[in-house]
Amino acid sequence: MKKVPETKIGNLQVVEKQSVVAYLHCFCAEGTPLNVDVLNEQGKTYRTHKAHLEPGPHKATVRLGNLPPGRYNAWITLGQVSGIRSFTISKSDSFKDRFKKWLKR
């Protein structure tokens, strides 16, 4: 018997540079809408991302902009499948960042 592929939500890889970008690894059994809502621990929505994904494996890019340091939950809906992925934005305290803040004065 042939196995029918399922839609699956995988890891959420968060990269912090000038702005925060998340990569969602997932698989779509059929063309389906993707909705990602990023909320802080108090439930305030910071970002919403919507896209339509074609069937197959994906590494969807979600641009999160400049999120303040803290813990967040990404509420992900991929068609009929839902999941929550938690992540943390660390406080940047490098010499370069302190120097940039000093220059802005």
Side-chain angles (χ1 to χ4, degrees):
M1 184 188 289
K2 187 175 181 180
K3 186 175 180 180
V4 178
E6 297 178 29
T7 298
K8 294 185 181 183
I9 300 171
N11 295 330
L12 183 69
Q13 176 187 6
V14 178
V15 179
E16 297 179 54
K17 292 187 180 180
Q18 279 82 12
S19 66
V20 181
V21 176
Y23 300 102
L24 176 64
H25 300 271
C26 57
F27 179 84
C28 298
E30 58 188 17
T32 188
L34 167 67
N35 187 41
V36 179
D37 293 314
V38 177
L39 290 78
N40 66 4
E41 289 184 306
Q42 289 75 35
K44 178 183 175 188
T45 302
Y46 272 86
R47 300 284 184 273
T48 297
H49 174 83
K50 295 182 183 221
H52 184 81
L53 301 180
E54 296 300 319
H58 292 277
K59 182 179 176 182
T61 302
V62 180
R63 300 195 189 288
L64 301 176
N66 295 320
L67 293 176
R71 293 188 44 80
Y72 294 90
N73 291 310
W75 293 65
I76 304 163
T77 304
L78 186 59
Q80 300 298 317
V81 179
S82 296
I84 300 172
R85 301 293 183 265
S86 298
F87 63 95
T88 301
I89 300 298
S90 59
K91 183 175 180 179
S92 181
D93 195 27
S94 69
F95 176 75
K96 182 178 173 183
D97 290 328
R98 285 184 281 174
F99 185 67
K100 282 183 185 178
K101 286 180 185 176
W102 182 78
L103 286 176
K104 287 183 181 180
R105 291 183 185 181

